[in-house]
C-alpha cells in the first residue's frame, strides 16, 4: 500500500470509531452514567485496583465493568467475584478496545443509571490512546515497577489522559522509584494531567481516588444541567 492509501484507511477507521464513540457518549449522558477508560501497560494493576474500588463503591451507586483482553475471561471473573457485574470483551489479535465493542458490551450490562462504568482497556500504552470509546475521560495507570520515563517514551497516552494513577506505591522504596521525576515527565507531555499515588495491594491512596471520582461526577452533572437549561 502507498503511504497515502495507508493514511486514508487509518482516517476511515478512526472516523467510524469517533462516530460510534459519540453515540456511546450520548447514551452514557442520557443514562447519567460516568464512564472511565483505564489504560496502562500489561500488569500495572488495573484489575487489582478496580476489584478494590468497585467493592468499596458498589454500595453507593450502580457500577458495571467492561474488561478488555486479547484472550481469557480471567479479569471479568475477578470483578464478578466482588459482586459487581462485568462483561469480558476478547479482542483476539486486536490490541485495543474500540467504540463498537463498548456499545455492544454496554447492552449486556444491567442498567447503571446514576452510576459508574469502568472500562479496563487492553494492556498497551500505544494504540488505546487513539480510540475514543465515549468515556468521560481516560485514566492512565503507571506502576512503580515500570520506571519513571514511560510518559516520555509513550507520550500520546499521557497526553490524552486526565488522571495518572501511580500504582504499587508500596514498592517504591525497594525500587528507588523517583516520584517527583515521574510527575515531571508526565507534565512535560501533559501540563494539565492530575496525579494520584496509590497501592491496590494495601489500599493506600484510594480515599483520594474516590474523592476525585465524586468531583468528576459533580462536574458532569453540572455540565449536563447547564446543557439542559441552555
Ligand atoms: N505490590 C503490589 N502489587 C500489585 C499492586 N497492584 C497490582 N499488583 C500486582 O501486579 C500484578 C498485575 O496486576 P493486575 O491487576 O492483573 O494488572 P493489569 O494487567 O493491569 O490488570 C498482580 O500480581 C497484582 O497482584 C500494588 O499496588 N502493589
Ligand atoms: Mg487486567
Ligand atoms: Zn491496537
Amino acid at each position: 500500500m502507498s503511504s497515502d492509501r495507508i493514511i486514508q484507511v487509518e482516517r476511515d477507521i478512526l472516523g467510524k470509531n469517533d462516530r460510534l464513540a459519540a453515540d456511546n457518549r450520548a447514551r452514557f449522558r442520557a443514562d447519567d452514567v460516568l464512564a472511565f477508560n483505564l489504560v496502562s501497560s500489561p500488569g500495572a494493576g488495573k484489575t487489582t485496583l478496580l476489584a478494590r474500588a468497585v467493592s468499596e463503591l458498589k454500595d453507593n451507586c450502580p457500577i458495571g465493568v467492561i474488561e478488555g483482553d486479547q484472550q481469557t475471561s480471567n479479569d471479568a471473573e475477578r470483578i464478578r467475584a466482588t459482586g459487581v457485574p462485568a462483561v469480558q470483551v476478547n479482542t483476539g489479535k486486536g490490541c485495543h478496545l474500540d467504540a463498537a465493542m463498548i456499545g455492544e458490551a454496554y447492552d449486556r450490562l444491567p442498567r447503571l443509571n446514576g452510576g459508574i462504568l469502568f472500562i479496563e482497556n487492553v494492556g498497551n500504552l500505544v494504540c488505546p490512546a487513539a480510540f475514543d470509546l465515549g468515556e468521560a475521560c481516560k485514566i492512565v495507570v503507571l506502576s512503580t515497577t515500570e520506571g519513571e520515563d514511560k510518559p516520555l517514551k509513550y507520550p500520546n497516552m499521557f497526553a490524552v489522559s486526565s488522571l495518572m494513577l501511580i500504582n504499587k506505591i508500596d514498592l517504591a522504596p525497594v525500587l528507588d522509584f523517583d516520584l517527583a521525576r515521574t510527575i515531571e515527565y508526565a507534565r512535560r507531555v501533559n501540563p494539565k494531567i492530575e496525579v494520584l499515588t496509590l497501592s491496590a495491594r494495601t489500599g493506600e491512596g484510594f480515599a483520594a481516588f474516590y474523592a476525585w471520582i465524586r468531583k468528576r461526577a459533580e462536574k458532569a452533572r453540572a455540565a449536563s444541567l447547564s446543557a439542559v437549561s441552555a
Side-chain angles (χ1 to χ4, degrees):
M1 266 204 276
S2 72
S3 59
D4 282 358
R5 173 92 187 106
I6 290 170
I7 289 167
Q8 187 55 45
V9 169
E10 213 173 274
R11 273 207 200 112
D12 290 348
I13 291 171
L14 288 175
K16 179 167 178 241
N17 185 75
D18 283 349
R19 285 191 294 281
L20 294 172
D23 293 347
N24 290 347
R25 189 164 281 116
R27 288 177 73 190
F28 299 152
R29 183 169 311 135
D31 293 350
D32 187 24
V33 166
L34 193 60
F36 295 112
N37 180 0
L38 269 80
V39 292
S40 82
S41 57
K46 298 180 297 307
T47 312
T48 311
L49 192 159
L50 278 180
R52 179 182 282 276
V54 301
S55 23
E56 293 177 353
L57 293 171
K58 68 180 179 188
D59 294 334
N60 304 336
C61 67
I63 296 188
V65 177
I66 298 173
E67 283 291 344
D69 271 307
Q70 286 194 317
Q71 301 287 348
T72 84
S73 315
N74 294 357
D75 285 2
E77 281 158 24
R78 283 164 70 190
I79 299 296
R80 282 187 213 118
T82 69
V84 164
V87 170
Q88 182 77 48
V89 178
N90 283 140
T91 56
K93 290 201 165 63
C95 43
H96 58 268
L97 293 173
D98 65 32
M101 295 169 187
I102 296 306
E104 284 162 26
Y106 186 62
D107 287 335
R108 289 161 55 205
L109 282 170
R111 307 294 307 260
L112 300 177
N113 295 47
I116 304 173
L117 171 67
F118 289 105
I119 302 165
E120 178 179 338
N121 218 314
V122 179
N124 171 357
L125 277 178
V126 186
C127 53
F131 285 81
D132 183 9
L133 305 179
E135 71 272 355
C137 70
K138 289 186 177 66
I139 297 175
V140 61
V141 182
L142 177 71
S143 60
T144 53
T145 52
E146 295 166 65
E148 293 85 357
D149 60 356
K150 291 301 171 293
L152 298 181
K153 289 176 172 166
Y154 303 96
N156 293 347
M157 190 58 92
F158 293 83
V160 298
S161 296
S162 303
L163 173 66
M164 172 167 70
L165 291 177
I166 301 181
N167 188 36
K168 308 195 189 179
I169 204 67
D170 55 297
L171 298 178
V174 277
L175 296 165
D176 277 334
F177 177 74
D178 190 334
L179 177 64
R181 193 141 62 97
T182 308
I183 297 173
E184 196 263 301
Y185 288 158
R187 295 229 160 104
R188 226 188 263 181
V189 298
N190 179 356
K192 288 199 297 204
I193 198 164
E194 295 181 80
V195 182
L196 294 172
T197 55
L198 41 78
S199 167
R201 171 143 308 163
T202 68
E204 178 186 343
F206 275 70
F209 179 40
Y210 303 149
W212 183 91
I213 292 175
R214 270 195 302 278
K215 209 174 68 193
R216 203 65 217 203
E218 282 158 20
K219 252 206 255 171
R221 298 235 158 83
S224 73
L225 279 179
S226 67
V228 168
S229 61

